[in-house]
Amino acid sequence: MEKIGVEDKIIAGYRPISASLDHYYLSHPRFALMLIVAGYLIAATIFAVVTPDWQNPDEPAHYNNIAHIAEGRGLPVLRHGDYDQDYLSALVSGRFPPHLSIAPLRYEAYQPPLYYLVAAPVFLLSGGDLLILRLFNVLLGAISLALLYACLETVFPAKTLLTIGAVAFTAFLPMHVAMSASVNNDGLAELLLLAAMLTLLRWMKRRFHRTSEVALSMSSLEWQNLLLLGVLLGLGMATKIYAYLAMPLIAGMVLLTVWLAPSAHLDQPSMRPTRRSFVQGWKAVLWVIVPALLLVVPLWIRNVALYGPTDLLGLQMHDAVVIGQPTTAEWIEREGLVNYIERGLDFTFRSFWGVFGWMGVFMDTRVYVLLLVFTGALMLGLLWALVRFICGRPEADMDRYQFWVLGFFAVMILAVLAGFVGYNLKFVQHQGRYLFWGLLPISAFVALAWRELMQPLQGKLTGMMAVVLAAALVIADLRVDMMDRWTMLAIGLFGLMLMLQPLLLFGSVDAIVIGAPTFIQRILEQERWQPALRTARVLIWASPFLALFLLNLVIPFRYIQPQLGG
């Protein structure tokens, strides 16, 4: 019995490296956030200035919606003839020549109107200047970054690598930067959805940390928070249709949180769900969905009057108007299902990272290969994190609230993918930008995966795999010229970086965890090396985000301007 007691004390005193990993890298997250937002503003402004007029997807149609309202003609109405595939193709192929007007491009008139109403004063004050409208969207993107940080800081206050990593990924994802620097309604929709998510996550946090005696009660402040959540969700639905997909997700999470009344502490049992808590949960849901629906019901009534009794969102009218847009059924009949799937996976991956203009300006193939390798490393990072979570405490260094949020994020990603697949069942729209309304959960998992690879064992194993991959490619290349050698070198260096980065933790982590030879340990544990090791740690962790930032500075001048400029 005494032996068991000693073992229990050892386990109780054990603190895994993951619990304090972030402290070894980032100690001033707010300063890092300021640097990231500043970097985003620089990159997005360059995109806005350098990208030729109208050379962003659907930008002329969104601009025409703003102009329609600003000129006092009321809300736009979608009509037959507002989409002309041949005319649009002539504009795009001719790089929008001055003698061809963009006025006939009105096919976005079915969209919810809130963004266009908000942008109309900017249009009037600037005299309809396209660059000013683009910069307005850049500003919306900067606010969204702050909201994204607030969301994740609410959930993971001690995990700065996760919070800052997610913001950095979102800020420097090239395609997202390009879309944030163009005229469209995505920027305001993302902002409102993130504000709604922040309200939800803060409300959930208070519920999870309440004692069981008061778990069923709802204070007036909580009702106000739910009301605010519903208003923000409704405003999002009045801005972009994909916000409708978020409503059942948010409502479901509100219901489960009140009904099951979970406790944040894993060693503290949650309350047993009861009929009372179930009814209370539905009451909370109504406080969210009723104000949300009240905000959009007038739009439904208008759409029904304009487009027909079953067309609440104007989507049926849209499908009838966009004659000539390639449909999935026609594409599969012409090219075959296998080719469709291959094209869908390849183009979605590339356009998620960056395909510019009207989906015709690609980066160098080597860039996509390196991004594919990085994506594979992130998949391994998520696998290592899942294994660690399955092991339970103390390796699973999260409470029940954080695990619930991660589960919610996973479900949200599935909903994003389902919406993307559903849209592509009708039209061939393999555009990764349609996944961006899920960037909060996507960026959170990206940052979680990269954080996992900063741990000694996980980093070394993943690095070894990358080095083996590079070596295999080199051997294969000796017989068949299959890949650029600089790309293979980059893959190998990436693997070596992951293999060697645990050495940078000397002086902060026990040497046995790092697993390095004794003579290296003696050298690197000297006090004089600690500042250099600390700086190197931060640079290694920040390297993919810095690379994406630099890529953003290159893209407008190397790819967009040469291919789309006059």
Side-chain angles (χ1 to χ4, degrees):
M1 294 297 292
E2 183 179 354
K3 182 178 179 182
I4 295 176
V6 171
E7 290 178 350
D8 289 341
K9 290 181 180 179
I10 294 174
I11 294 174
Y14 170 68
R15 184 175 174 84
I17 183 177
S18 59
S20 54
L21 182 68
D22 305 80
H23 176 71
Y24 305 139
Y25 287 84
L26 287 178
S27 55
H28 300 91
R30 298 293 175 89
F31 179 69
L33 174 64
M34 292 175 58
L35 291 178
I36 291 169
V37 173
Y40 158 79
L41 288 173
I42 293 171
T45 300
I46 292 174
F47 267 90
V49 172
V50 176
T51 303
D53 292 356
W54 319 122
Q55 290 289 3
N56 289 299
D58 306 320
E59 188 172 53
H62 289 293
Y63 179 92
N64 286 336
N65 280 359
I66 300 172
H68 192 280
I69 294 173
E71 292 166 0
R73 293 185 285 162
L75 298 182
V77 178
L78 183 64
R79 296 183 173 88
H80 290 282
D82 285 345
Y83 182 89
D84 186 330
Q85 181 65 55
D86 293 334
Y87 187 77
L88 179 60
S89 298
L91 284 171
V92 174
S93 61
R95 301 181 181 179
F96 290 87
H99 66 278
L100 293 180
S101 172
I102 65 163
L105 303 182
R106 299 181 297 269
Y107 54 86
E108 296 288 357
Y110 76 101
Q111 291 276 5
L114 183 58
Y115 165 73
Y116 311 111
L117 291 169
V118 172
V122 180
F123 182 97
L124 291 172
L125 291 173
S126 66
D129 188 276
L130 177 62
L131 177 59
I132 299 300
L133 287 168
R134 286 179 174 180
L135 293 178
F136 172 67
N137 271 35
V138 169
L139 178 61
L140 294 178
I143 299 172
S144 295
L145 292 177
L147 288 171
L148 190 146
Y149 173 80
C151 286
L152 295 177
E153 197 271 340
T154 297
V155 184
F156 307 103
K159 291 179 170 52
T160 54
L161 293 186
L162 201 160
T163 55
I164 295 298
V167 175
F169 176 78
T170 302
F172 301 137
L173 178 62
M175 192 64 199
H176 188 247
V177 176
M179 295 307 301
S180 298
S182 65
V183 177
N184 56 60
N185 55 355
D186 294 275
L188 182 59
E190 287 182 22
L191 187 155
L192 291 169
L193 190 56
L194 283 168
M197 291 296 297
L198 177 60
T199 305
L200 172 67
L201 294 174
R202 287 179 172 175
W203 173 82
M204 286 178 60
K205 188 172 186 177
R206 286 191 291 270
R207 295 289 302 182
F208 270 75
H209 287 87
R210 298 181 73 173
T211 60
S212 59
E213 289 79 8
V214 295
L216 285 179
S217 63
M218 294 279 282
S219 66
S220 60
L221 178 60
E222 285 192 87
W223 294 122
Q224 293 172 16
N225 288 338
L226 292 174
L227 178 62
L228 174 62
L229 174 59
V231 169
L232 290 170
L233 185 58
L235 292 175
M237 293 157 62
T239 305
K240 192 79 175 180
I241 290 177
Y242 62 56
Y244 283 86
L245 297 176
M247 185 170 69
L249 298 175
I250 291 175
M253 183 53 66
V254 169
L255 173 62
L256 291 176
T257 300
V258 177
W259 178 29
L260 302 181
S263 169
H265 305 289
L266 292 173
D267 54 357
Q268 178 180 334
S270 302
M271 290 185 58
R272 296 182 61 183
T274 64
R275 179 179 297 179
R276 180 190 171 193
S277 65
F278 183 71
V279 172
Q280 192 83 343
W282 276 107
K283 184 178 179 181
V285 168
L286 289 176
W287 274 82
V288 175
I289 64 174
V290 169
L293 293 179
L294 286 176
L295 286 171
V296 295
V297 162
L299 297 178
W300 293 357
I301 296 174
R302 175 179 180 269
N303 287 338
V304 166
L306 290 172
Y307 307 131
T310 61
D311 200 1
L312 295 179
L313 303 181
L315 291 174
Q316 296 174 22
M317 184 63 176
H318 167 265
D319 293 351
V321 166
V322 291
I323 300 172
Q325 185 172 335
T327 65
T328 301
E330 293 171 347
W331 209 100
I332 292 177
E333 183 179 359
R334 183 175 66 254
E335 304 291 342
L337 179 60
V338 174
N339 289 334
Y340 175 81
I341 294 175
E342 289 180 352
R343 194 262 187 188
L345 293 174
D346 178 66
F347 199 87
T348 299
F349 174 82
R350 293 182 180 227
S351 59
F352 177 83
W353 289 100
V355 177
F356 309 99
W358 287 70
M359 298 292 107
V361 178
F362 293 83
M363 296 182 286
D364 193 301
T365 303
R366 294 171 293 186
V367 175
Y368 294 112
V369 172
L370 293 176
L371 290 172
L372 180 61
V373 173
F374 178 61
T375 303
L378 293 177
M379 293 297 104
L380 285 174
L382 283 179
L383 178 61
W384 301 134
L386 179 61
V387 170
R388 187 164 57 81
F389 294 159
I390 292 174
C391 290
R393 301 182 67 188
E395 291 295 337
D397 56 325
M398 294 188 184
D399 60 26
R400 185 178 281 114
Y401 166 63
Q402 293 168 329
F403 279 125
W404 267 57
V405 172
L406 287 179
F408 176 57
F409 282 178
V411 173
M412 188 173 177
I413 290 177
L414 292 177
V416 172
L417 292 174
F420 180 77
V421 171
Y423 188 29
N424 276 276
L425 290 178
K426 290 195 300 182
F427 298 104
V428 181
Q429 292 288 338
H430 302 141
Q431 300 182 38
R433 65 189 179 98
Y434 293 136
L435 304 175
F436 287 166
W437 71 275
L439 268 182
L440 171 62
I442 292 172
S443 65
F445 282 116
V446 166
L448 175 65
W450 187 241
R451 177 183 183 271
E452 197 71 19
L453 296 181
M454 294 300 100
Q455 301 201 53
L457 179 59
Q458 293 90 319
K460 285 191 289 187
L461 289 175
T462 305
M464 289 175 58
M465 294 180 188
V467 170
V468 170
L469 172 62
L473 291 173
V474 169
I475 294 173
D477 191 68
L478 294 176
R479 301 188 61 183
V480 180
D481 188 11
M482 60 182 303
M483 185 177 293
D484 177 78
R485 294 181 181 180
W486 287 106
T487 305
M488 292 185 285
L489 176 62
I491 296 172
L493 292 175
F494 175 72
L496 286 174
M497 180 187 75
L498 290 178
M499 288 178 62
L500 298 177
Q501 62 87 15
L503 299 178
L504 304 177
L505 291 169
F506 270 119
S508 302
V509 179
D510 291 340
I512 191 173
V513 176
I514 300 174
T518 304
F519 75 94
I520 296 180
Q521 173 186 344
R522 290 173 180 171
I523 295 174
L524 295 182
E525 283 187 337
Q526 297 177 23
E527 186 63 28
R528 61 176 177 171
W529 291 107
Q530 293 309 303
L533 293 177
R534 191 177 301 112
T535 301
R537 282 200 299 268
V538 175
L539 291 176
I540 291 295
W541 169 80
S543 59
F545 311 120
L546 289 172
L548 287 175
F549 171 67
L550 295 175
L551 183 60
N552 279 298
L553 300 184
V554 170
I555 288 170
F557 302 102
R558 183 175 178 83
Y559 301 114
I560 295 178
Q561 185 62 34
Q563 297 187 48
L564 300 178

